[in-house]
Amino acid sequence: MEITLKVNEVQHTLDVEPRTLLVHLIRENLNLTGTHIGCDTTTCGACTILLDGKSVKSCTILAVQANGKSVRTIESVAGADGHLHPLQEGFKDNHGLHCGFCTPGMIMRSIELLENNPNPTEEEIRWGISGNLCRCTGYNNIVKAIEYASAKNRGVEPASTEPQFV
Amino acid sequence: MIAQSFQYASPGTLAEAISMLDKYGEDAKVLSGGHSLIPMMKLRFANPEWLIDINGIPNLAHIKEEGGVIKIGALTREAEIEHSDLLKKYFPIFADVTKLIADPQVRNRGTVGGNLAHGDAANDHPAVMLALNATIVATGSNGERSIAIDEFFHGFYMTALEHGEILTEIQIPEPPAGTGSAYHKLERKVGDYATAGVAVQLTLDSKGVCTAAGFGLTNVNPVPLRASRSEKALVGKSITDETIAEAAKYASEDCSPSSDLRGSEEYKRAMVAVLVKRMIHKAVERISK
């Protein structure tokens, strides 16, 4: 079945089987391998992308369902000149990642979280990323990374980036 | 995991979708949010030959008030229910329940109609709709028909929906003044099904006498269960420690949970009693606000 969709502002027309998952289209047809497949069961959130601006798990959406829609993946987050997005900067400076497998999903989810709630409390951040699993960090530094990005987006000096050991 | 091959159609109107369902019969499944169906297809528990995607059909995603009835379109996403001011005004229970349904990404896709039409006693909206005395509207080639929520759930994954019918709207009577509602489920972790869940809606008159009560239970019975004896234990009475204890006892006796990895039957019955008590308190607290 022929579908047309926009991925990171680039229009693509592809012929896909209806059973192709969106994450496979992204990774295998478009070679955008920043979007990860973790659990493949809608649990871990590593495959999170934005579909028409909403964070969704691309392992549980068919590629044909994205026909006519706009997809955004981690590859679009940094500036064209390599300048990091506040969330990427936050994860880097706050040790918000160890192995990095969950990070693309965490960041794509956090983009929508901060759009809907520019100044979330710690509890709101923890609920906000409750669909994303990290097996390395214990989450504290991920929460700090999102707080950092929230502050930076709002033009507030982010809190100290010293890593937090609990 | 990849599903078995199937044909996909994305009709632009309800009439077109219904005619496709009529044409393909039992070989077709309706795709709404897809967060129950697609995982089942990936595991090959479900192998439909046709998938009829209703996401492109207009006028199925609304939350509105009409003539004393709150109408929720079947395609309304859980995230929209979570943030609806109209629902917050009348039914605080929806903020409780949506926060506990899966996670934010799933709530961006999952729909209230799909949650009900799936016919799974482990889903959360069935218990809520029992407590709120909702009516399900189904549309087929003969037009619309209304199904009382008590007639809707027939068995494991079985509902009153006929082949060729699509669940299109949920209608809930606007509650009278003095009404409060609450839901909680005990879950081991985010995204898990309930160990036990309880939905309550209560109406009290100015003297504190209960004039209406609705109780729905999640995942402690083969079908979503109305705790009728708990309702009768409160209606016409004041909410006291004794009447609350009675309602809790009846709900824990009348459900039929199975022992599984989430807990023993005995534990689940005990949790139903605890949750009934807590949800009554929470609903009453909300009335007094």
Side-chain angles (χ1 to χ4, degrees), chain A residues 1-21:
Chain A
M1 183 180 163
E2 192 175 274
I3 59 165
T4 298
L5 74 168
K6 209 184 255 186
V7 180
N8 300 337
E9 296 303 316
V10 180
Q11 193 93 356
H12 295 274
T13 300
L14 300 126
D15 189 26
V16 294
E17 265 194 86
R19 60 178 171 165
T20 308
L21 298 171

Side-chain angles (χ1 to χ4, degrees), chain A residues 12-122:
Chain A
H12 295 274
T13 300
L14 300 126
D15 189 26
V16 294
E17 265 194 86
R19 60 178 171 165
T20 308
L21 298 171
L22 181 56
V23 70
H24 289 139
L25 176 143
I26 291 169
R27 288 178 54 86
E28 289 163 27
N29 295 66
L30 304 179
N31 285 324
L32 296 170
T33 53
T35 303
H36 293 160
I37 302 174
C39 68
D40 201 9
T41 58
T42 342
T43 306
C44 78
C47 65
T48 300
I49 52 120
L50 299 181
L51 183 65
D52 282 350
K54 304 265 189 210
S55 55
V56 297
K57 296 184 174 179
S58 59
C59 75
T60 310
I61 293 179
L62 303 169
V64 289
Q65 289 183 278
N67 191 14
K69 298 196 188 307
S70 171
V71 168
R72 200 172 161 207
T73 70
I74 188 70
E75 284 85 355
S76 73
V77 173
D81 59 356
H83 189 80
L84 293 184
H85 183 280
L87 276 163
Q88 292 173 308
E89 203 175 279
F91 273 75
K92 175 173 165 278
D93 291 357
N94 291 279
H95 299 258
L97 64 150
H98 292 185
C99 86
F101 196 85
C102 73
T103 316
M106 285 283 181
I107 289 179
M108 297 319 287
R109 170 60 203 143
S110 302
I111 288 174
E112 194 201 0
L113 167 64
L114 293 181
E115 262 171 24
N116 293 340
N117 184 358
N119 189 13
T121 62
E122 182 188 330

Side-chain angles (χ1 to χ4, degrees), chain A residues 19 40 55 57 59 132, chain B residues 1 3 42 99 103 105 108:
Chain A
R19 60 178 171 165
D40 201 9
S55 55
K57 296 184 174 179
C59 75
N132 294 74
Chain B
M1 296 169 293
K42 287 168 71 174
K99 197 177 178 186
D103 59 56
Q105 289 97 311
N108 273 340

Side-chain angles (χ1 to χ4, degrees), chain B residues 15-27:
Chain B
E16 206 184 326
I18 290 164
S19 78
M20 284 178 175
L21 290 175
D22 281 337
K23 186 171 164 193
Y24 302 121
E26 296 199 11
D27 295 333

